[in-house]
Amino acid sequence: MIAPLPPRFIVAEDPDGPPAGLEGAVVAIGNFDGVHRGHQAVIGRARALAAELGRPTAVLTFEPHPGDYFAGAPTIFRITPPAAKALALSRLGTVDGMVVRSFDAGFASLSAEDFVADVLVRRLGIAAAVVGYDFHFGARRAGTPAYLADAGVRHGFAVAVIDKIVSDAMGDLAAVSSTAIRRALEAGDVARAATLLGRPYFVLGEVVHGEKLGRTLGFPTANLRLDPTARLAHGIYAVRVRTEAGEYGGVASYGRRPTFDNGAPLLESFLFDFSGDLYGQHIEVDFVGWIRGEERFDSAEALVMRMKVDAAEARAMLAG
């Protein structure tokens, strides 16, 4: 069934003091969009240091994505919008919480020293910061890992700067990046995305009412509107869907329904061996395999025939 955040996993937005349960944490800092294998390696180093110090482990991230802030609009395809990022982090089993700092005009104008003094020291009271070798912070990206290490000495917290990590238990990390994952998803290559992520790509959302076309065609669907930045390829996918009632295999269409209305993009998932009403429920859809691109059919009957083939292909993928 759909997994809520573990009760001990803490999410704190713009805290004015150290969040309860994360006092004196070892904090990994970054955007971590996707929580992919490279991110997991950095977070793993933070967890190891936290274990040495007897401290909790936290991730400090930013919303909106700094790239979107400076662009003035949502432009970056978010692999893990905030709720999905929290869930992905919680499932690592090594992170105690996530701190989200609003990336606004005030934050963007903070000097490197003010970022350290106000965010890391006053608001979070960190015991240590863990950052990548290319981490920059503060107005005009003036803060560097070397600057952070010096600030740690002055303010009394440890700093670990992680060199580029080249491999993990699954192998080479050279190709792993949020950009590479976005490109895979834009091409519909969810298998490639899963390899880079270390888990299937998933989306979360509340089931909304559609035009109920699937029901009239014999394929009732649970419909989600994805994050506006989503650029997942329009097409048909084999999926696993987690609901309050349990987990189901399924076949999903993401796109504009060109046979009918060519409307706003919608994710429509047909759950195998399920009957019931999911409207208003929050579900998770995990993408397992790509079946085909979105097509326009000459008739509803032709579409139904192809949907039956798609469903059979999805069942075979899921069984494999």
Side-chain angles (χ1 to χ4, degrees), residues 28-50:
I29 307 173
N31 290 318
F32 299 117
D33 187 28
V35 194
H36 59 58
R37 288 166 50 208
H39 296 150
Q40 293 168 31
V42 172
I43 293 166
R45 299 286 182 88
R47 180 60 178 175
L49 178 57

Side-chain angles (χ1 to χ4, degrees), residues 80 123 274:
T80 46
R123 294 177 183 268
F274 172 82

